[in-house]
Amino acid sequence: MTGHLLSLDALNAMSAPDFAAALGPVFENAPWVAQGAAATRPFPTLTALHKAMLAGIEALPAPALADFLNGHPRLSPETLRRGTTAESTAEQTALGLDALDAEISARLDRLNAAYEARFGYPFILAVRKASLETLFATFERRLAASPEAERTEALAEVAAISWMRLLDRVRAAPTGSVSTHVLDTVRAAPAGGLGVELWRRESDGGMTRLTSFVTNDDGACDHHLLGNGDLAAGTYEWRYDTPTYFARHGYSTTARAYLGKVRVAFTVWNPEEHFHVPLLLSPGSYTTYRGS
């Protein structure tokens, strides 16, 4: 969805009917979720709002939960031909379900039929973050799950779908940021003096450089980056000028040329959180993980 994003302040100040209308499509064919959340305002963050909405679903008795899951459309070309919600149409079309050849479409039909016969509701997947290969691999794996495990996974996908739809509508609280820290594991010391750039992948697939800096004596930037509401959901990439750093510290040409400039891509799912990327570095290898 494009256009103006609502602020949390505006959302909190709305009448209950307007609040429900603004957020009704977040959960597929279930405007009652937004209606229930309206009574628990105000929300300090989008994360808190999402948790309140999910709590309404988690409180459902089994028959009502089954009805809720059955409100989700089948992922298939036939669904798109017959028509579904605007949100689901956009998501399924972006995955390419409107352009499947006959063989792949038949394979998908068989999987849908097998899944629904086993579990009693449509297969649910956050397809906006999936490929066709991911769709089929996930489908086949989940067909073998127990009903209890599959219900849990289906609800996790509902949470992912609804979170992305919320981000389409409401501006996240300005609490998120990113940072990195680099340790030279050969020297057993912080990698000070290392050139670093931060890039963001755009919707057209291109990359935009957001900032650059040189690490301080602690191997980090002097402050967190993309704070004050500048962090958005999406894919980012740290780029480290490791060849120049290795040259400065006397590593051989052969050693420093092996890795080239190290790049670490990471995904921001919730822009209200802090995303820290540590890098453990040597001329022959590097390790990274989600830091705190």
Side-chain angles (χ1 to χ4, degrees):
M1 177 177 292
T2 59
H4 179 69
L5 292 179
L6 287 167
S7 69
L8 283 162
D9 286 344
L11 200 64
N12 285 326
M14 284 180 173
S15 67
D18 287 345
F19 179 95
L23 300 185
V26 167
F27 288 86
E28 191 76 12
N29 290 314
W32 59 265
V33 179
Q35 293 165 3
T40 62
R41 289 177 289 171
F43 300 108
T45 63
L46 200 58
T47 303
L49 166 58
H50 192 229
K51 286 182 177 178
M53 298 175 89
L54 292 175
I57 295 168
E58 292 165 359
L60 291 174
L65 179 59
D67 288 343
F68 168 75
L69 293 174
N70 271 298
H72 290 75
R74 176 185 274 199
L75 298 175
S76 73
E78 181 62 24
T79 294
L80 293 173
R81 285 192 291 269
R82 291 181 177 179
T84 182
T85 64
E87 292 73 20
S88 185
T89 297
E91 292 158 358
Q92 294 199 40
T93 301
L95 181 61
L97 297 189
D98 61 331
L100 299 182
D101 63 33
E103 181 179 354
I104 295 177
S105 183
R107 179 186 176 192
L108 186 56
D109 285 342
R110 289 193 298 271
L111 288 168
N112 273 314
Y115 184 94
E116 290 164 17
R118 176 166 171 76
F119 298 112
Y121 51 84
F123 176 77
I124 300 170
L125 181 70
V127 295
R128 198 190 305 193
K129 293 294 183 181
S131 64
L132 283 176
E133 292 79 7
T134 300
L135 169 65
F136 283 112
T138 307
F139 225 138
E140 290 166 354
R141 175 184 59 81
R142 286 170 54 184
L143 265 172
S146 69
E148 295 76 16
E150 181 53 27
R151 191 179 305 111
T152 297
E153 189 151 3
L155 289 172
E157 293 299 323
V158 168
I161 295 165
S162 57
W163 175 250
M164 288 186 281
R165 291 182 181 182
L166 264 183
L167 287 173
D168 288 341
R169 292 164 171 76
V170 186
R171 189 179 306 114
T175 53
S177 60
V178 301
S179 62
T180 188
H181 177 256
V182 188
L183 177 66
D184 184 330
T185 58
V186 174
R187 297 173 56 240
L194 171 65
V196 181
E197 297 175 341
L198 178 62
W199 293 69
R200 179 182 63 225
R201 185 174 301 281
E202 305 298 348
S203 57
D204 62 1
M207 299 292 291
T208 298
R209 190 177 75 168
L210 303 177
T211 190
S212 62
F213 61 93
V214 175
T215 57
N216 57 25
D217 290 343
D218 291 326
C221 185
D222 289 324
H223 55 277
H224 291 175
L225 303 171
L226 300 186
N228 301 315
D230 291 331
L231 183 63
T235 299
Y236 295 78
E237 189 175 281
W238 290 110
R239 299 183 181 180
Y240 305 89
D241 187 6
T242 48
T244 300
Y245 170 82
F246 290 144
R248 184 175 297 119
H249 288 281
Y251 295 95
S252 70
T253 297
T254 303
R256 67 176 178 258
Y258 172 65
L259 292 177
K261 291 188 176 181
V262 170
R263 299 185 178 193
V264 177
F266 65 101
T267 297
V268 171
W269 181 257
N270 183 343
E272 294 181 339
E273 297 177 352
H274 176 64
F275 289 79
H276 181 58
V277 180
L279 184 69
L280 308 180
L281 182 66
S282 78
S285 66
Y286 65 90
T287 302
T288 188
Y289 54 93
R290 172 80 188 266
S292 60

